């Protein structure tokens, strides 16, 4: 199946921000003698921060012996350091550039903060390629609610059936499918162990994908 437009998630799909954030929090847990596993972190992926609060979790584990605000500040500083050295995931840049040259309209639909997404898209000179960037500030409900994808679909002015969404998490896939879109999953190091079977197609990376291809959608 060939598609006329594309909508992208951001975190863990275009840029590997998930592993740096997980690593930063894993270090905070380890300092206090507690493990943090991928399964713990899965609760945060593809949705808003209310789904899992690692600082609150540590507060509970230590029976109130830590300051959640201080822990948050420490983890965020460390996470930002790690993300600053992160590169776009394999094949992402080529796919977006090729899609733009082919005249394919594109948008971003992310549950993250606006400043976070815009800042990184600007850092990698990707922002001009997108007709719109929708984030948590634009909707009442983030993923797995379909609201972000519905907004992006409306902006692209294309039938939902002609748009392919790219996601890396079950919550994102659920949101895209609920908006009537086909969805291709590109898992990262953390989400590769999650159940992504509800996606129409799963690939290892953007490498080798071409926006003019006939995708083998099931």
């Amino acid at each position: 199946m060939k598609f006329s437009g594309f909508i992208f998630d951001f975190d863990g799909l275009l840029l590997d921000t998930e592993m740096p954030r997980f690593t930063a929090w894993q270090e905070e847990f380890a300092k206090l003698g507690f493990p943090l596993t991928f399964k713990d972190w899965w609760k945060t992926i593809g949705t808003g921060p209310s789904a899992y609060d690692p600082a609150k979790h540590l507060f509970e584990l230590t029976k109130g012996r830590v300051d959640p605000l201080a822990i948050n500040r420490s983890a965020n500083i460390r996470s930002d350091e790690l993300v600053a050295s992160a590169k776009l995931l394999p094949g992402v840049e080529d796919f977006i550039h090729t899609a733009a040259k082919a005249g394919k309209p594109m948008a971003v639909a992310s549950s993250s903060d606006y400043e976070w997404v815009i800042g990184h898209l600007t850092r990698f000179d990707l922002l001009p390629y997108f007709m719109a960037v929708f984030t948590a500030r634009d909707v009442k409900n983030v993923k797995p609610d379909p609201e972000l994808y519905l907004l992006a679909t409306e902006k692209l002015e294309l039938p939902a059936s002609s748009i392919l969404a790219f996601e890396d998490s079950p919550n994102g896939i659920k949101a895209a499918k609920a908006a009537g879109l086909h969805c291709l999953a590109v898992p990262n190091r953390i989400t590769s162990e999650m159940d992504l079977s509800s996606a129409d197609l799963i690939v290892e990376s953007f490498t080798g994908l071409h926006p003019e291809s006939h995708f083998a959608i099931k």
Side-chain angles (χ1 to χ4, degrees), residues 64-83:
R65 290 189 288 108
V66 299
D67 178 358
L69 290 177
I71 290 284
N72 258 313
R73 282 194 297 269
S74 177
N76 287 338
I77 290 170
R78 176 62 172 148
S79 176
D80 288 346
E81 290 174 353
L82 294 171
V83 171

Side-chain angles (χ1 to χ4, degrees), residues 29-76:
F29 274 67
K31 288 176 190 175
L32 295 163
F34 296 101
L36 179 68
T37 68
F38 278 177
K39 287 187 177 180
D40 292 319
W41 198 250
W42 285 351
K43 302 167 193 172
T44 73
I45 296 176
T47 188
S50 62
Y52 174 67
D53 184 341
K56 181 180 178 183
H57 189 189
L58 265 181
F59 182 82
E60 293 168 349
L61 288 172
T62 60
K63 296 179 170 38
R65 290 189 288 108
V66 299
D67 178 358
L69 290 177
I71 290 284
N72 258 313
R73 282 194 297 269
S74 177
N76 287 338

Side-chain angles (χ1 to χ4, degrees), residues 13-198:
L13 179 85
L14 302 185
L15 181 66
D16 186 6
T17 57
E18 296 293 357
M19 198 66 189
R21 290 173 61 232
F22 171 77
T23 299
W25 275 106
Q26 191 178 49
E27 290 173 358
E28 295 296 335
F29 274 67
K31 288 176 190 175
L32 295 163
F34 296 101
L36 179 68
T37 68
F38 278 177
K39 287 187 177 180
D40 292 319
W41 198 250
W42 285 351
K43 302 167 193 172
T44 73
I45 296 176
T47 188
S50 62
Y52 174 67
D53 184 341
K56 181 180 178 183
H57 189 189
L58 265 181
F59 182 82
E60 293 168 349
L61 288 172
T62 60
K63 296 179 170 38
R65 290 189 288 108
V66 299
D67 178 358
L69 290 177
I71 290 284
N72 258 313
R73 282 194 297 269
S74 177
N76 287 338
I77 290 170
R78 176 62 172 148
S79 176
D80 288 346
E81 290 174 353
L82 294 171
V83 171
S85 61
K87 301 182 185 305
L88 292 172
L89 285 163
V92 164
E93 192 168 20
D94 285 345
F95 185 91
I96 291 173
H97 289 174
T98 304
K101 288 178 182 177
K104 306 279 187 179
M106 293 177 283
V108 171
S110 169
S111 294
S112 294
D113 292 336
Y114 175 82
E115 291 79 10
W116 171 264
V117 178
I118 291 295
H120 287 298
L121 290 176
T122 300
R123 177 160 72 97
F124 290 102
D125 297 320
L126 292 181
L127 189 58
Y129 294 98
F130 298 106
M131 290 181 63
V133 176
F134 293 105
T135 63
R137 77 170 192 175
D138 298 302
V139 295
K140 182 178 180 181
N141 299 300
V142 295
K143 302 170 189 174
D145 190 282
E147 193 173 355
L148 281 162
Y149 275 113
L150 291 172
L151 280 175
T153 298
E154 183 179 0
K155 184 66 178 181
L156 294 190
E157 298 183 339
L158 293 169
S161 59
S162 70
I163 298 171
L164 182 62
F166 291 98
E167 275 289 350
D168 67 294
S169 72
N171 280 327
I173 296 166
K174 184 176 180 180
K177 300 290 285 182
L181 306 176
H182 290 288
C183 186
L184 188 155
V186 189
N188 55 55
R189 286 178 288 175
I190 294 180
T191 62
S192 62
E193 297 181 26
M194 300 179 80
D195 181 7
L196 305 178
S197 60
S198 58

